[in-house]
Amino acid sequence: MRCGVIARKLGMSRLFDDNGMHVPVTILRLEDVEVLSIKSLEKEGYTAVQLGFCNKKQKNVSKPLKGFFSKVKSEPKEKVAEFRVSQDAILNIGDKLSVHHFVPGQKVDVVGISKGKGFSGAMKRHNFGGMQASHGVSISHRSHGSTGNSQDPGRTWKGKKMAGQYGNIRVTTQNLKVVKLLEEDNLILIKGSVPGSKNGIVFLCDAIKHNIPTNAPFPAGLDIKNKSNDEVISSSNDGEQKTDSLNEVAEDEN
């Protein structure tokens, strides 16, 4: 089981497929998604990866979070989330994820906070049909009707669908299709709508009801462009050592 990613919802647009049919898509952007810490089976009792999303200014972070980010040697992040992973899919601290964590055509599950609609009636909130427009009904056309029972039990059941707060809850939309990946802009185009408002933060992970494509990177699609300087220097030193050894062999042959 692979980890997911954190992305920002930029809005909706559309694409045209090979047949000229338009496909509505939601644009999601990855912003400095980095592995901050890992949870091991020996220490915490389960395996998970903790990811940070979008660098944040130091002055806008609370003192306890400053200590956490300094401990993991990372810049302050706007959002921190944890994803359960299998034992063989644990990543290294400091790894950065790219849009190639997914592949075009793959099905994903998206989790976000839905738009808040405030206090709404039963017709809008629960899709009730309302009451009749005539036959003695007055000023109650959009009411939800009876809410209680007779003398037994003589109360309103807990969980009764009534008017109240609508939206602003955690919503999971399953089996959405990845249409296109734009590596230059770190964008993922998802077919259809995604819960949440513009500039909202969403979580993407492999669809639980579909198999992971065989060409999907495992354990994760890492951003190889963000290699550290030490890795680049070490790789260049290895190349110099190889060229020196080749020169020595050529001199011996001569």
Side-chain angles (χ1 to χ4, degrees):
M1 183 171 61
R2 306 191 308 163
C3 72
V5 297
I6 311 173
R8 188 184 304 278
K9 178 181 176 180
L10 300 184
M12 292 196 67
S13 182
R14 66 173 179 173
L15 296 177
F16 290 93
D17 58 13
D18 298 336
N19 298 324
M21 301 296 292
H22 104 102
V23 180
V25 294
T26 301
I27 305 175
L28 305 178
R29 182 174 65 195
L30 272 63
E31 302 176 8
D32 298 315
V33 181
E34 182 180 354
V35 179
L36 300 180
S37 65
I38 58 175
K39 306 294 183 180
S40 62
L41 192 62
E42 296 78 12
K43 188 175 181 181
E44 285 82 13
Y46 66 98
T47 55
V49 173
Q50 201 173 58
L51 300 181
F53 170 80
C54 187
N55 295 334
K56 196 175 182 181
K57 291 183 179 179
Q58 192 79 16
K59 65 177 183 178
N60 296 332
V61 181
S62 63
K63 192 172 181 180
L65 287 178
K66 287 181 181 178
F68 169 75
F69 290 118
S70 62
K71 182 179 179 181
V72 299
K73 299 179 180 179
S74 172
E75 295 186 26
K77 299 292 185 180
E78 179 181 346
K79 184 72 175 180
V80 178
E82 187 175 289
F83 295 90
R84 289 288 187 100
V85 296
S86 57
Q87 188 72 27
D88 56 348
I90 296 179
L91 304 176
N92 298 321
I93 296 177
D95 288 343
K96 291 190 175 182
L97 301 179
S98 69
V99 296
H100 292 290
H101 184 71
F102 303 107
V103 295
Q106 179 180 353
K107 295 294 182 68
V108 295
D109 295 340
V110 183
V111 181
I113 303 297
S114 62
K115 293 181 180 180
K117 306 295 178 64
F119 190 95
S120 301
M123 292 182 67
K124 182 176 181 179
R125 191 184 186 202
H126 300 295
N127 198 28
F128 278 15
M131 303 183 72
Q132 292 181 348
S134 61
H135 295 284
V137 177
S138 61
I139 68 171
S140 300
H141 305 294
R142 297 182 63 87
S143 299
H144 48 66
S146 175
T147 60
N149 303 96
S150 58
Q151 187 174 356
D152 183 23
R155 60 182 173 86
T156 301
W157 291 101
K158 184 177 181 179
K160 173 67 177 177
K161 292 182 179 180
M162 301 173 65
Q165 167 66 36
Y166 180 41
N168 195 27
I169 59 174
R170 181 184 172 99
V171 177
T172 301
T173 304
Q174 295 182 324
N175 306 326
L176 295 178
K177 182 180 178 181
V178 177
V179 178
K180 192 174 183 180
L181 304 175
L182 300 177
E183 182 180 6
E184 299 79 8
D185 301 318
N186 291 327
L187 299 180
I188 301 177
L189 305 185
I190 304 292
K191 182 178 180 180
S193 61
V194 165
S197 59
K198 289 184 179 179
N199 296 321
I201 297 177
V202 298
F203 305 142
L204 283 82
C205 58
D206 299 325
I208 194 173
K209 295 180 180 179
H210 288 267
N211 295 327
I212 302 175
T214 55
N215 57 343
F218 189 87
L222 301 180
D223 190 358
I224 60 176
K225 295 185 298 183
N226 294 318
K227 277 189 176 182
S228 62
N229 293 330
D230 297 337
E231 293 177 352
V232 175
I233 293 173
S234 62
S235 61
S236 61
N237 291 337
D238 294 339
E240 292 176 358
Q241 292 176 359
K242 290 180 180 179
T243 54
D244 293 340
S245 61
L246 291 175
N247 292 333
E248 292 175 0
V249 172
E251 292 177 356
D252 293 339
E253 292 178 354
N254 293 333

